[in-house]
Amino acid sequence: MKIKRYFAPTMREAMRRVRADQGADAVILGSESRDGGIELVAAIDYDAALLQQAVRRQSGAAEPAHPASTQAQPQDEAASRPAPGVWEQDPQLQRLQRELADVRRMLSTSLEQQTDATLRAHPQRARALRNLEALGIDSGLAREIAAHIPEQAAGPRQRNLPLALLARRLRVPGAAFYSAPTRLALIGPTGAGKTTTLAKLAARAVAADGAREVTLISMDGHRAGAEAQIGVYARLLGVPLRIVRGADELATALADCADCRHVFVDCAGTGPADSKLAALLPRLAAMKEGPQPLQTLLVLPANVQREDLLGAIARFAPAAPVAAALTKIDECSRFGGALSALIGTRTPLAWLADGQAVPRDLHRVDAGEVVLRAARQARAAQQQEFSEQQALREGTHA
Ligand SMILES: Nc1nc2c(ncn2[C@@H]2O[C@H](COP(=O)(O)OP(=O)(O)OP(=O)(O)O)[C@@H](O)[C@H]2O)c(=O)[nH]1
Ligand SMILES: [Mg+2]
């Protein structure tokens, strides 16, 4: 996708210049009144496949050098980031970059203020809104995305634009998150799928680097059955398992396996009322910077209400999770609500789990593919609901 700016005294003239230059395919990304005129930001050559490529390139570009910096960049911000070494060296260009960031912020604020009625008056935006809401996307986010759909957008290229804009808002970790040595503690609500996801990750690590390079640590030694569950996985994978109680013992265990390439830490499931959690989470966050840097992965089930996910994200925020794994997407008809919660809290999504099978049902996240899958799943659910309603009606009339 190419981006170009047009300045003209009036909106009509700015639009005329865009069309004269780029033709009817141009997509308007934003507009702003300034210096007595209008500036339009237009994109051409929009294409879903190109977006996927851009997303992939972006993942590579965001590759950090240190595990502590694996926090993902939002794909839309990063896509507009120029080559390093240009902006960084020229103060004038730096100032321009800051001003553009301000313009972008102003644009998104003013677009957010558009009402539903305004959006629904434009067929393309109304269609985008309907399609996004059908996925279970939160109405605020759906409205924000629909407002970015150009009124004149039509044709196959623009049909996927709402999904592409959604994909660009979903953060994913950079490539180094997946390839660097792993020291990861899995945290999350009770029954979210932490132990199962840990087993899947550990099995992948064993397949990649061998059992010698993998150690499991469990902080979940006090609950009946918890030790046995992770013990079975450790035996099946042929990797050592250490049981620790508390953050101090965890730090010692991490130091003991300093030579091991992959260490996975299973935490006990904790409900909202758990007081020990409040003390543990900041300790886990502090270990990010410790001698044995440990990151946390927030495991969230997709089959709960968006509000519950937002609650869980807020509750586990003191651990400063580097990313999330979304589990049980096979158990829900739509997971747009879960994606909205991740996008709204700027939580990068690293893994998607769609079943109990270890390690098969765990997938590395590609933003474009996740959004397409959400759309496919919502379509299937819609068809199913339609058939059920029809069967019900026929049953009533029989
Ligand atoms: N359908 C489905 N089931 C899953 C998935 N991930 C985990 N499960 C199942 O969910 C249940 C709970 O999984 P666990 O891994 O024990 O969850 P946990 O977060 O460790 O649970 P606690 O330690 O008790 O908090 C088990 O029956 C898993 O097999 C998934 O992606 N899809
Ligand atoms: Mg568990």
Side-chain angles (χ1 to χ4, degrees):
M1 183 166 76
K2 291 178 197 155
I3 291 180
K4 205 167 167 184
R5 289 161 205 283
Y6 296 83
F7 184 77
T10 63
M11 177 63 90
R12 184 185 290 262
E13 175 58 16
M15 286 300 296
R16 196 196 60 72
R17 286 183 193 176
V18 172
R19 289 217 192 87
D21 193 26
Q22 298 191 8
D25 266 0
V27 172
I28 308 300
L29 296 177
S31 64
E32 202 218 352
S33 305
R34 68 170 179 84
D35 301 337
I38 295 283
E39 186 183 69
L40 284 185
V41 182
I44 49 170
D45 291 347
Y46 170 76
D47 185 292
L50 283 178
L51 176 83
Q52 291 259 359
Q53 282 169 21
V55 167
R56 283 201 195 96
R57 266 202 311 277
Q58 175 47 36
S59 302
E63 196 169 317
H66 186 276
S69 61
T70 50
Q71 190 75 30
Q73 298 293 325
Q75 290 172 359
D76 51 351
E77 277 173 33
S80 60
R81 197 170 50 215
V86 178
W87 290 107
E88 285 150 20
Q89 288 160 20
D90 186 328
Q92 263 189 326
L93 289 175
Q94 280 179 340
R95 187 177 55 77
L96 194 60
Q97 191 186 29
R98 277 196 301 276
E99 284 175 4
L100 280 174
D102 286 344
V103 168
R104 209 179 296 143
R105 253 194 309 278
M106 278 166 53
L107 277 174
S108 68
T109 310
S110 75
L111 286 168
E112 278 163 20
Q113 285 163 354
Q114 291 199 40
T115 62
D116 250 18
T118 315
L119 290 174
R120 292 190 195 276
H122 299 297
Q124 300 302 331
R125 291 179 182 167
R127 189 171 154 272
L129 203 54
R130 271 197 314 277
N131 289 351
L132 289 167
E133 285 176 348
L135 261 63
I137 296 296
D138 151 60
S139 65
L141 176 60
R143 216 178 300 136
E144 215 178 291
I145 291 172
H148 283 80
I149 304 293
E151 288 169 38
Q152 70 276 32
R157 269 192 175 181
Q158 272 81 15
R159 201 158 294 147
N160 281 335
L161 189 55
L163 290 184
L165 294 175
L166 180 66
R168 296 191 69 174
R169 279 166 191 252
L170 182 66
R171 291 175 169 220
V172 296
F177 174 79
Y178 299 98
S179 60
T182 327
R183 280 186 150 54
L184 207 55
L186 280 75
I187 55 172
T190 325
K194 297 178 293 297
T195 308
T196 312
T197 304
L198 177 141
K200 291 170 179 172
L201 288 169
R204 290 173 79 110
V206 167
D209 292 318
R212 277 167 176 273
E213 294 292 347
V214 181
T215 296
L216 307 186
I217 299 178
S218 173
M219 297 191 80
D220 195 4
H222 58 282
R223 284 188 320 153
E227 196 176 324
Q229 184 194 9
I230 195 166
V232 168
Y233 287 126
R235 263 195 309 283
L236 284 172
L237 295 171
V239 301
L241 167 67
R242 291 191 55 162
I243 309 290
V244 299
R245 272 159 241 278
D248 291 334
E249 281 189 29
L250 174 61
T252 309
L254 286 171
D256 289 348
C257 44
D259 295 337
C260 193
R261 192 168 158 79
H262 306 285
V263 181
F264 298 100
V265 181
D266 192 22
C267 297
T270 39
D274 194 306
S275 58
K276 281 198 208 124
L277 184 71
L280 176 66
L281 295 181
R283 296 285 310 270
L284 290 176
M287 287 186 189
K288 246 185 180 177
E289 314 295 341
Q292 296 296 320
L294 177 76
Q295 294 187 318
T296 51
L297 179 74
L298 179 56
V299 181
L300 295 169
N303 62 348
V304 300
Q305 302 283 334
R306 191 180 67 96
E307 290 68 28
D308 295 334
L309 285 184
L310 288 172
I313 291 170
R315 196 148 46 87
F316 289 93
V322 67
L326 195 59
T327 60
K328 307 194 182 185
I329 65 159
D330 55 310
E331 286 196 357
C332 55
S333 54
R334 294 168 178 82
F335 59 96
L339 294 182
S340 307
L342 294 169
I343 292 170
T345 54
R346 304 163 84 81
T347 308
L349 180 60
W351 297 100
L352 210 62
D354 58 358
Q356 295 173 296
V358 176
R360 189 195 62 197
D361 297 334
L362 186 71
H363 313 280
R364 180 175 159 169
V365 164
D366 171 287
E369 279 170 20
V370 168
V371 163
L372 287 174
R373 180 167 184 165
R376 272 200 309 275
Q377 205 154 311
R379 245 193 327 269
Q382 230 165 3
Q383 274 163 10
Q384 171 82 14
E385 284 154 13
F386 179 73
S387 312
E388 282 169 4
Q389 280 166 9
Q390 200 155 15
L392 209 62
R393 267 196 301 274
E394 283 165 9
T396 316
H397 292 304

